[in-house]
Amino acid sequence: MESVVIIRYAEIHLKGKNRGYFERVFTVNIERALRGISHELHRIGGRYLIADFRQDCAEEILSRLSRVFGIHSYSLGYLTENSVEEIYCAAQIVAPQSGSFKVETHRADKKYPLTSMELNAEIGAKLLSERKGLSVDVHAPQHYVYIDVRENGKALVFGSFLQGAGGMPVGTSGKGLLLISGGIDSPVAGHMLAKRGMTVELLHFHSYPYTNEQAKEKVIELSRELAPYTGTRKLSTVSVTKIQEEIHAKCAAELNVTLLRRFMFRIAERVAKREGDACIITGESLGQVASQTIEGMTSSNAVVSLPVLRPLVGFDKDEIIERSKKIGTFETSVLPFEDCCTVFLPDFPATKPKLSFIEAEESKLNVEELVQNALSTLETISF
Ligand code: ATP
Ligand code: MG
């Protein structure tokens, strides 16, 4: 009998001919998540098993697996020979000392001499006769003993299913560039696309010295929190200080935010193309603030040719907050800091800017020179 973590995968079984590819990426992602923890990864039938780890690492393994997309569910349990005696040994460890319980058997090996019902009855009866405080409840038990009889003469025995992160293995849906601000929304947006298999790289704009060093530290911290989910390898930062000063000095105040966002998108597109990112991702949600109107989004889209993905577009703030708490980025996101968008914020930003007005105001600036100048401030932090 051997202590193992059992991993069941989510949507990969749907992928027909590409299945081998999805499984390879999935395996690489599990190995990456467990880096630094000594273990073996095996495949048995439709399951993956983590074995040969130190018992005091079990909790850490479970915690890291909770952030790997493509995992449907996972369990801490035992791999045994499929004899009733061996299965019972494992069941004794998994079963509680008292309370109500139920044994539930699944047989992948249909030639196994006992039916599922027979094995349930046998293991259940042995446990009952040994532990006086136990009772069977097949409808609403407090505890379960799950038995999974595999094809290769082995069985898995475990007490619970932990819900995995679901989704698709990160890396199977290309790579995108997330504009990460330090607020609540953008990390959630990145998380959502990673869940659908996209590798997410990060770009942050700052207005140093108007924004301070802590603002940057906060974004680095958020990036670290996001990376186990998103496969992120680096955070790039670009200064938009000069751009904001120029806009402030030369253009209509109500267009400050609109114009800045168009610059952000232009810069993002250059970075994305250089890095091989297939799209730009933002945390915008329709109508949330003045710049997140359909007109505002259209004016930003107009300056780039890459697709812009806005996974939160139809979400309420409450829903976004709930997700960010679940992911674990909320606490960091709400730390106070100055975002570059709040520097030079006009009293009445335009909510429905006309493209002709935007272009007229923008023509007062040397757009290409400002973009190049901003790109020359690019710094990269690797994880
Ligand atoms: P968030 O909670 O993500 O900060 P928000 O509600 O504050 O979003 P905005 O400030 O309008 O909304 O920003 C909308 C989106 O633009 C953000 O979700 C993010 O993708 C991008 N963005 C805003 N500011 C920055 C920044 N300083 N650096 C990089 N991206 C940014
Ligand atoms: Mg923000």
Side-chain angles (χ1 to χ4, degrees), residues 206-262:
H206 62 85
S207 314
Y208 190 78
Y210 299 105
T211 56
N212 60 25
E213 203 52 36
Q214 277 126 294
K216 189 169 159 191
E217 285 304 317
K218 177 180 174 181
V219 175
I220 295 173
E221 179 56 27
L222 277 176
S223 307
R224 288 222 172 86
E225 288 167 357
L226 207 53
Y229 294 103
T230 53
T232 300
R233 280 168 308 214
K234 59 179 182 294
L235 164 70
S236 304
T237 64
V238 165
S239 166
V240 287
T241 309
K242 182 91 177 93
I243 292 171
Q244 290 199 277
E245 286 171 346
E246 283 280 298
I247 294 173
H248 183 66
K250 296 182 179 160
C251 305
E254 71 259 39
L255 286 187
N256 266 4
V257 177
T258 309
L259 294 174
L260 174 61
R261 296 196 63 76
R262 280 161 66 93

Short mmCIF file of all heavy atoms in Angstrom, two decimals, residues 206-262:
data_model
loop_
_atom_site.label_atom_id
_atom_site.label_comp_id
_atom_site.label_asym_id
_atom_site.label_seq_id
_atom_site.Cartn_x
_atom_site.Cartn_y
_atom_site.Cartn_z
N HIS A 206 3.23 52.38 -15.36
CA HIS A 206 3.35 53.22 -14.15
C HIS A 206 3.68 54.65 -14.56
O HIS A 206 4.07 54.92 -15.70
CB HIS A 206 4.41 52.66 -13.21
CG HIS A 206 5.79 52.65 -13.80
ND1 HIS A 206 6.62 53.74 -13.77
CD2 HIS A 206 6.45 51.68 -14.49
CE1 HIS A 206 7.76 53.43 -14.39
NE2 HIS A 206 7.67 52.19 -14.84
N SER A 207 3.50 55.56 -13.60
CA SER A 207 3.81 56.97 -13.87
C SER A 207 4.80 57.47 -12.84
O SER A 207 4.60 58.53 -12.25
CB SER A 207 2.55 57.82 -13.80
OG SER A 207 1.51 57.22 -14.49
N TYR A 208 5.81 56.68 -12.63
CA TYR A 208 6.85 57.11 -11.69
C TYR A 208 7.41 58.44 -12.17
O TYR A 208 7.63 58.61 -13.37
CB TYR A 208 7.95 56.04 -11.66
CG TYR A 208 8.95 56.26 -10.57
CD1 TYR A 208 8.65 55.92 -9.25
CD2 TYR A 208 10.20 56.83 -10.84
CE1 TYR A 208 9.57 56.14 -8.24
CE2 TYR A 208 11.12 57.04 -9.83
CZ TYR A 208 10.79 56.70 -8.53
OH TYR A 208 11.68 56.93 -7.54
N PRO A 209 7.61 59.45 -11.35
CA PRO A 209 7.50 59.51 -9.88
C PRO A 209 6.11 59.90 -9.34
O PRO A 209 5.96 60.05 -8.14
CB PRO A 209 8.51 60.59 -9.53
CG PRO A 209 8.46 61.54 -10.67
CD PRO A 209 8.16 60.72 -11.88
N TYR A 210 5.12 60.05 -10.24
CA TYR A 210 3.77 60.36 -9.71
C TYR A 210 3.21 59.15 -8.96
O TYR A 210 2.48 59.29 -7.99
CB TYR A 210 2.82 60.75 -10.84
CG TYR A 210 3.25 61.98 -11.59
CD1 TYR A 210 3.81 61.89 -12.85
CD2 TYR A 210 3.12 63.24 -11.00
CE1 TYR A 210 4.23 63.02 -13.54
CE2 TYR A 210 3.54 64.38 -11.68
CZ TYR A 210 4.09 64.26 -12.95
OH TYR A 210 4.50 65.37 -13.61
N THR A 211 3.49 57.96 -9.49
CA THR A 211 3.15 56.75 -8.74
C THR A 211 4.44 56.28 -8.07
O THR A 211 5.53 56.53 -8.58
CB THR A 211 2.63 55.64 -9.66
OG1 THR A 211 3.60 55.37 -10.68
CG2 THR A 211 1.32 56.05 -10.32
N ASN A 212 4.30 55.60 -6.93
CA ASN A 212 5.52 55.30 -6.16
C ASN A 212 5.96 53.85 -6.29
O ASN A 212 5.35 53.04 -6.99
CB ASN A 212 5.33 55.69 -4.70
CG ASN A 212 4.16 54.93 -4.09
OD1 ASN A 212 3.80 53.85 -4.54
ND2 ASN A 212 3.56 55.51 -3.06
N GLU A 213 7.04 53.57 -5.59
CA GLU A 213 7.67 52.25 -5.63
C GLU A 213 6.73 51.17 -5.08
O GLU A 213 6.70 50.05 -5.57
CB GLU A 213 8.97 52.31 -4.81
CG GLU A 213 10.03 51.30 -5.13
CD GLU A 213 10.41 51.22 -6.61
OE1 GLU A 213 10.43 52.27 -7.30
OE2 GLU A 213 10.66 50.10 -7.06
N GLN A 214 5.92 51.56 -4.06
CA GLN A 214 4.98 50.58 -3.48
C GLN A 214 3.95 50.09 -4.49
O GLN A 214 3.54 48.93 -4.46
CB GLN A 214 4.23 51.15 -2.27
CG GLN A 214 5.01 51.08 -1.00
CD GLN A 214 5.10 52.45 -0.38
OE1 GLN A 214 5.72 53.36 -0.95
NE2 GLN A 214 4.45 52.63 0.76
N ALA A 215 3.55 50.99 -5.38
CA ALA A 215 2.57 50.61 -6.40
C ALA A 215 3.15 49.50 -7.26
O ALA A 215 2.47 48.53 -7.61
CB ALA A 215 2.21 51.82 -7.25
N LYS A 216 4.43 49.63 -7.57
CA LYS A 216 5.09 48.62 -8.39
C LYS A 216 5.22 47.30 -7.61
O LYS A 216 4.93 46.23 -8.14
CB LYS A 216 6.48 49.14 -8.79
CG LYS A 216 7.20 48.30 -9.81
CD LYS A 216 8.42 49.04 -10.31
CE LYS A 216 9.43 48.10 -10.93
NZ LYS A 216 10.71 48.77 -11.18
N GLU A 217 5.62 47.42 -6.35
CA GLU A 217 5.76 46.23 -5.50
C GLU A 217 4.43 45.47 -5.42
O GLU A 217 4.39 44.24 -5.44
CB GLU A 217 6.17 46.62 -4.07
CG GLU A 217 7.64 47.03 -3.94
CD GLU A 217 8.58 45.94 -4.45
OE1 GLU A 217 8.33 44.76 -4.14
OE2 GLU A 217 9.54 46.28 -5.17
N LYS A 218 3.36 46.24 -5.36
CA LYS A 218 2.03 45.63 -5.28
C LYS A 218 1.72 44.81 -6.54
O LYS A 218 1.20 43.70 -6.46
CB LYS A 218 1.00 46.75 -5.10
CG LYS A 218 -0.41 46.25 -5.07
CD LYS A 218 -1.36 47.42 -4.89
CE LYS A 218 -2.78 46.91 -5.00
NZ LYS A 218 -3.76 47.98 -4.86
N VAL A 219 2.06 45.36 -7.69
CA VAL A 219 1.80 44.64 -8.94
C VAL A 219 2.70 43.41 -9.05
O VAL A 219 2.27 42.35 -9.54
CB VAL A 219 1.99 45.58 -10.16
CG1 VAL A 219 1.86 44.82 -11.45
CG2 VAL A 219 0.97 46.70 -10.09
N ILE A 220 3.91 43.51 -8.56
CA ILE A 220 4.80 42.33 -8.56
C ILE A 220 4.19 41.24 -7.67
O ILE A 220 4.16 40.07 -8.04
CB ILE A 220 6.22 42.71 -8.06
CG1 ILE A 220 6.88 43.68 -9.06
CG2 ILE A 220 7.08 41.47 -7.86
CD1 ILE A 220 8.21 44.25 -8.59
N GLU A 221 3.69 41.65 -6.52
CA GLU A 221 3.07 40.69 -5.60
C GLU A 221 1.84 40.03 -6.26
O GLU A 221 1.67 38.81 -6.21
CB GLU A 221 2.69 41.42 -4.30
CG GLU A 221 2.01 40.56 -3.24
CD GLU A 221 2.82 39.32 -2.84
OE1 GLU A 221 4.07 39.37 -2.96
OE2 GLU A 221 2.21 38.31 -2.42
N LEU A 222 1.02 40.84 -6.91
CA LEU A 222 -0.16 40.29 -7.60
C LEU A 222 0.27 39.30 -8.69
O LEU A 222 -0.35 38.25 -8.88
CB LEU A 222 -0.97 41.41 -8.25
CG LEU A 222 -1.95 42.17 -7.37
CD1 LEU A 222 -2.58 43.32 -8.15
CD2 LEU A 222 -3.04 41.23 -6.84
N SER A 223 1.32 39.64 -9.39
CA SER A 223 1.82 38.77 -10.46
C SER A 223 2.26 37.42 -9.89
O SER A 223 2.00 36.37 -10.47
CB SER A 223 2.99 39.42 -11.18
OG SER A 223 2.64 40.71 -11.60
N ARG A 224 2.92 37.49 -8.74
CA ARG A 224 3.36 36.25 -8.08
C ARG A 224 2.17 35.40 -7.67
O ARG A 224 2.21 34.17 -7.75
CB ARG A 224 4.19 36.57 -6.82
CG ARG A 224 5.54 37.12 -7.12
CD ARG A 224 6.62 36.53 -6.21
NE ARG A 224 7.93 36.97 -6.69
CZ ARG A 224 8.50 38.11 -6.33
NH1 ARG A 224 7.89 38.91 -5.48
NH2 ARG A 224 9.67 38.45 -6.82
N GLU A 225 1.12 36.07 -7.21
CA GLU A 225 -0.07 35.32 -6.78
C GLU A 225 -0.80 34.69 -7.97
O GLU A 225 -1.40 33.63 -7.85
CB GLU A 225 -1.02 36.27 -6.02
CG GLU A 225 -0.48 36.65 -4.65
CD GLU A 225 -1.23 37.81 -4.00
OE1 GLU A 225 -2.16 38.37 -4.64
OE2 GLU A 225 -0.88 38.17 -2.88
N LEU A 226 -0.71 35.36 -9.09
CA LEU A 226 -1.41 34.90 -10.29
C LEU A 226 -0.63 33.79 -11.02
O LEU A 226 -1.23 32.89 -11.63
CB LEU A 226 -1.58 36.11 -11.21
CG LEU A 226 -2.74 36.15 -12.19
CD1 LEU A 226 -4.06 35.90 -11.48
CD2 LEU A 226 -2.75 37.50 -12.91
N ALA A 227 0.68 33.87 -10.95
CA ALA A 227 1.54 33.00 -11.76
C ALA A 227 1.27 31.49 -11.62
O ALA A 227 1.30 30.78 -12.63
CB ALA A 227 3.01 33.30 -11.46
N PRO A 228 0.97 30.97 -10.41
CA PRO A 228 0.72 29.53 -10.34
C PRO A 228 -0.47 29.09 -11.18
O PRO A 228 -0.54 27.94 -11.60
CB PRO A 228 0.43 29.30 -8.85
CG PRO A 228 1.02 30.45 -8.14
CD PRO A 228 0.94 31.61 -9.09
N TYR A 229 -1.40 29.99 -11.44
CA TYR A 229 -2.55 29.66 -12.27
C TYR A 229 -2.25 29.86 -13.76
O TYR A 229 -2.74 29.13 -14.61
CB TYR A 229 -3.73 30.59 -11.96
CG TYR A 229 -4.34 30.46 -10.60
CD1 TYR A 229 -4.07 31.41 -9.61
CD2 TYR A 229 -5.23 29.44 -10.31
CE1 TYR A 229 -4.66 31.32 -8.36
CE2 TYR A 229 -5.84 29.35 -9.06
CZ TYR A 229 -5.54 30.29 -8.09
OH TYR A 229 -6.13 30.22 -6.86
N THR A 230 -1.52 30.92 -14.05
CA THR A 230 -1.50 31.43 -15.43
C THR A 230 -0.28 31.05 -16.25
O THR A 230 -0.20 31.38 -17.42
CB THR A 230 -1.57 32.97 -15.40
OG1 THR A 230 -0.53 33.44 -14.54
CG2 THR A 230 -2.90 33.47 -14.90
N GLY A 231 0.69 30.40 -15.60
CA GLY A 231 1.91 30.04 -16.32
C GLY A 231 2.77 31.26 -16.65
O GLY A 231 3.66 31.19 -17.49
N THR A 232 2.50 32.38 -15.99
CA THR A 232 3.21 33.63 -16.26
C THR A 232 4.69 33.49 -15.96
O THR A 232 5.06 32.98 -14.91
CB THR A 232 2.63 34.74 -15.35
OG1 THR A 232 1.25 34.88 -15.65
CG2 THR A 232 3.35 36.05 -15.56
N ARG A 233 5.51 33.94 -16.90
CA ARG A 233 6.95 33.89 -16.65
C ARG A 233 7.53 35.26 -16.38
O ARG A 233 8.58 35.40 -15.82
CB ARG A 233 7.67 33.22 -17.81
CG ARG A 233 7.57 31.70 -17.73
CD ARG A 233 8.01 31.09 -19.00
NE ARG A 233 7.30 31.71 -20.11
CZ ARG A 233 6.95 31.07 -21.22
NH1 ARG A 233 7.25 29.82 -21.37
NH2 ARG A 233 6.29 31.69 -22.18
N LYS A 234 6.84 36.30 -16.87
CA LYS A 234 7.41 37.61 -16.59
C LYS A 234 6.38 38.74 -16.55
O LYS A 234 5.30 38.65 -17.13
CB LYS A 234 8.50 37.93 -17.59
CG LYS A 234 8.09 37.96 -19.03
CD LYS A 234 9.32 38.32 -19.87
CE LYS A 234 9.00 38.41 -21.33
NZ LYS A 234 8.63 37.14 -21.93
N LEU A 235 6.81 39.79 -15.86
CA LEU A 235 6.03 41.02 -15.80
C LEU A 235 6.87 42.10 -16.46
O LEU A 235 8.04 42.30 -16.10
CB LEU A 235 5.78 41.38 -14.33
CG LEU A 235 5.32 42.81 -14.04
CD1 LEU A 235 3.89 43.04 -14.54
CD2 LEU A 235 5.37 43.09 -12.53
N SER A 236 6.30 42.77 -17.45
CA SER A 236 6.98 43.90 -18.06
C SER A 236 6.36 45.18 -17.53
O SER A 236 5.15 45.24 -17.28
CB SER A 236 6.83 43.88 -19.59
OG SER A 236 7.30 42.65 -20.09
N THR A 237 7.18 46.20 -17.33
CA THR A 237 6.65 47.49 -16.90
C THR A 237 7.11 48.57 -17.87
O THR A 237 8.22 48.50 -18.41
CB THR A 237 7.12 47.87 -15.48
OG1 THR A 237 8.54 48.02 -15.50
CG2 THR A 237 6.75 46.80 -14.46
N VAL A 238 6.22 49.51 -18.11
CA VAL A 238 6.53 50.62 -19.02
C VAL A 238 6.07 51.92 -18.36
O VAL A 238 4.98 51.97 -17.76
CB VAL A 238 5.79 50.43 -20.38
CG1 VAL A 238 5.79 51.71 -21.20
CG2 VAL A 238 6.42 49.29 -21.19
N SER A 239 6.86 52.96 -18.47
CA SER A 239 6.49 54.26 -17.92
C SER A 239 5.64 55.04 -18.92
O SER A 239 6.02 55.19 -20.08
CB SER A 239 7.75 55.06 -17.58
OG SER A 239 7.38 56.40 -17.35
N VAL A 240 4.50 55.56 -18.44
CA VAL A 240 3.68 56.43 -19.30
C VAL A 240 3.68 57.87 -18.76
O VAL A 240 2.82 58.68 -19.12
CB VAL A 240 2.23 55.90 -19.44
CG1 VAL A 240 2.20 54.67 -20.34
CG2 VAL A 240 1.59 55.59 -18.09
N THR A 241 4.67 58.17 -17.93
CA THR A 241 4.74 59.51 -17.32
C THR A 241 4.77 60.61 -18.37
O THR A 241 3.97 61.55 -18.34
CB THR A 241 6.01 59.62 -16.44
OG1 THR A 241 6.05 58.50 -15.56
CG2 THR A 241 6.01 60.91 -15.65
N LYS A 242 5.68 60.46 -19.31
CA LYS A 242 5.84 61.48 -20.34
C LYS A 242 4.55 61.65 -21.14
O LYS A 242 4.13 62.78 -21.44
CB LYS A 242 7.00 61.06 -21.25
CG LYS A 242 7.35 62.01 -22.35
CD LYS A 242 8.41 62.99 -21.89
CE LYS A 242 8.84 63.93 -23.01
NZ LYS A 242 8.14 65.18 -23.07
N ILE A 243 3.93 60.54 -21.45
CA ILE A 243 2.68 60.56 -22.23
C ILE A 243 1.59 61.31 -21.45
O ILE A 243 0.91 62.18 -22.00
CB ILE A 243 2.22 59.12 -22.55
CG1 ILE A 243 3.20 58.47 -23.54
CG2 ILE A 243 0.80 59.09 -23.10
CD1 ILE A 243 2.98 56.99 -23.78
N GLN A 244 1.48 60.99 -20.17
CA GLN A 244 0.44 61.66 -19.36
C GLN A 244 0.71 63.16 -19.25
O GLN A 244 -0.23 63.97 -19.31
CB GLN A 244 0.37 61.03 -17.97
CG GLN A 244 -0.20 59.62 -18.00
CD GLN A 244 -0.69 59.17 -16.65
OE1 GLN A 244 0.08 58.70 -15.83
NE2 GLN A 244 -1.98 59.32 -16.40
N GLU A 245 1.96 63.53 -19.11
CA GLU A 245 2.30 64.96 -19.01
C GLU A 245 1.95 65.70 -20.30
O GLU A 245 1.38 66.79 -20.28
CB GLU A 245 3.80 65.13 -18.70
CG GLU A 245 4.13 64.77 -17.26
CD GLU A 245 5.63 64.72 -16.99
OE1 GLU A 245 6.42 64.69 -17.96
OE2 GLU A 245 6.01 64.70 -15.81
N GLU A 246 2.27 65.06 -21.42
CA GLU A 246 1.99 65.67 -22.72
C GLU A 246 0.49 65.82 -22.95
O GLU A 246 0.02 66.87 -23.41
CB GLU A 246 2.58 64.80 -23.84
CG GLU A 246 4.07 64.93 -24.01
CD GLU A 246 4.43 66.18 -24.80
OE1 GLU A 246 4.02 66.28 -25.97
OE2 GLU A 246 5.11 67.05 -24.23
N ILE A 247 -0.25 64.75 -22.64
CA ILE A 247 -1.72 64.81 -22.81
C ILE A 247 -2.28 65.93 -21.93
O ILE A 247 -3.10 66.75 -22.38
CB ILE A 247 -2.37 63.45 -22.43
CG1 ILE A 247 -1.96 62.35 -23.41
CG2 ILE A 247 -3.89 63.58 -22.39
CD1 ILE A 247 -2.42 60.95 -23.01
N HIS A 248 -1.80 65.97 -20.70
CA HIS A 248 -2.28 66.97 -19.74
C HIS A 248 -1.99 68.39 -20.23
O HIS A 248 -2.83 69.30 -20.12
CB HIS A 248 -1.60 66.73 -18.39
CG HIS A 248 -2.06 67.64 -17.30
ND1 HIS A 248 -3.35 67.61 -16.83
CD2 HIS A 248 -1.41 68.61 -16.60
CE1 HIS A 248 -3.47 68.53 -15.89
NE2 HIS A 248 -2.31 69.14 -15.73
N ALA A 249 -0.83 68.55 -20.81
CA ALA A 249 -0.42 69.90 -21.25
C ALA A 249 -1.14 70.35 -22.52
O ALA A 249 -1.43 71.52 -22.69
CB ALA A 249 1.10 69.93 -21.45
N LYS A 250 -1.43 69.39 -23.42
CA LYS A 250 -1.87 69.82 -24.76
C LYS A 250 -3.30 69.48 -25.15
O LYS A 250 -3.82 70.06 -26.10
CB LYS A 250 -0.93 69.18 -25.80
CG LYS A 250 0.51 69.68 -25.68
CD LYS A 250 1.40 69.09 -26.74
CE LYS A 250 2.81 69.61 -26.61
NZ LYS A 250 3.79 68.76 -27.29
N CYS A 251 -3.92 68.52 -24.45
CA CYS A 251 -5.21 68.04 -24.97
C CYS A 251 -6.37 68.38 -24.03
O CYS A 251 -6.16 68.67 -22.86
CB CYS A 251 -5.17 66.53 -25.19
SG CYS A 251 -3.80 66.03 -26.25
N ALA A 252 -7.59 68.29 -24.57
CA ALA A 252 -8.80 68.57 -23.78
C ALA A 252 -8.85 67.63 -22.57
O ALA A 252 -8.69 66.42 -22.71
CB ALA A 252 -10.03 68.36 -24.65
N ALA A 253 -9.07 68.24 -21.39
CA ALA A 253 -8.99 67.48 -20.14
C ALA A 253 -9.94 66.28 -20.11
O ALA A 253 -9.59 65.22 -19.60
CB ALA A 253 -9.27 68.40 -18.95
N GLU A 254 -11.13 66.44 -20.68
CA GLU A 254 -12.10 65.33 -20.57
C GLU A 254 -11.66 64.09 -21.37
O GLU A 254 -12.23 63.02 -21.21
CB GLU A 254 -13.51 65.78 -21.00
CG GLU A 254 -13.69 66.03 -22.48
CD GLU A 254 -13.65 67.51 -22.85
OE1 GLU A 254 -12.81 68.24 -22.24
OE2 GLU A 254 -14.44 67.94 -23.70
N LEU A 255 -10.64 64.28 -22.22
CA LEU A 255 -10.15 63.13 -23.00
C LEU A 255 -8.91 62.47 -22.40
O LEU A 255 -8.36 61.52 -22.97
CB LEU A 255 -9.85 63.54 -24.44
CG LEU A 255 -11.05 63.79 -25.36
CD1 LEU A 255 -10.58 64.03 -26.78
CD2 LEU A 255 -12.02 62.61 -25.31
N ASN A 256 -8.46 62.98 -21.25
CA ASN A 256 -7.23 62.43 -20.62
C ASN A 256 -7.19 60.91 -20.61
O ASN A 256 -6.22 60.29 -21.06
CB ASN A 256 -7.14 62.90 -19.17
CG ASN A 256 -6.31 64.16 -19.04
OD1 ASN A 256 -5.88 64.69 -20.08
ND2 ASN A 256 -6.08 64.63 -17.84
N VAL A 257 -8.24 60.33 -20.05
CA VAL A 257 -8.26 58.89 -19.86
C VAL A 257 -8.35 58.18 -21.21
O VAL A 257 -7.61 57.22 -21.48
CB VAL A 257 -9.41 58.47 -18.93
CG1 VAL A 257 -9.47 56.96 -18.78
CG2 VAL A 257 -9.25 59.13 -17.57
N THR A 258 -9.22 58.68 -22.07
CA THR A 258 -9.40 58.07 -23.39
C THR A 258 -8.07 58.04 -24.15
O THR A 258 -7.70 57.01 -24.73
CB THR A 258 -10.41 58.90 -24.21
OG1 THR A 258 -11.58 59.09 -23.42
CG2 THR A 258 -10.76 58.21 -25.51
N LEU A 259 -7.38 59.16 -24.14
CA LEU A 259 -6.13 59.24 -24.90
C LEU A 259 -5.05 58.34 -24.27
O LEU A 259 -4.33 57.65 -24.98
CB LEU A 259 -5.64 60.69 -24.97
CG LEU A 259 -6.56 61.62 -25.79
CD1 LEU A 259 -6.07 63.07 -25.69
CD2 LEU A 259 -6.62 61.19 -27.25
N LEU A 260 -4.98 58.37 -22.95
CA LEU A 260 -4.00 57.51 -22.28
C LEU A 260 -4.25 56.05 -22.62
O LEU A 260 -3.31 55.29 -22.92
CB LEU A 260 -4.06 57.72 -20.76
CG LEU A 260 -3.17 56.77 -19.95
CD1 LEU A 260 -1.69 56.95 -20.31
CD2 LEU A 260 -3.38 56.98 -18.45
N ARG A 261 -5.51 55.66 -22.63
CA ARG A 261 -5.82 54.26 -22.91
C ARG A 261 -5.42 53.88 -24.33
O ARG A 261 -4.97 52.77 -24.59
CB ARG A 261 -7.29 53.97 -22.64
CG ARG A 261 -7.64 54.16 -21.16
CD ARG A 261 -8.95 53.52 -20.78
NE ARG A 261 -8.92 52.08 -20.95
CZ ARG A 261 -8.31 51.24 -20.11
NH1 ARG A 261 -7.68 51.71 -19.05
NH2 ARG A 261 -8.32 49.95 -20.33
N ARG A 262 -5.59 54.81 -25.25
CA ARG A 262 -5.16 54.51 -26.63
C ARG A 262 -3.65 54.32 -26.69
O ARG A 262 -3.16 53.44 -27.41
CB ARG A 262 -5.63 55.63 -27.58
CG ARG A 262 -7.09 55.47 -27.98
CD ARG A 262 -7.67 56.75 -28.51
NE ARG A 262 -7.12 57.22 -29.76
CZ ARG A 262 -7.61 56.94 -30.98
NH1 ARG A 262 -8.66 56.15 -31.10
NH2 ARG A 262 -7.06 57.46 -32.06
#
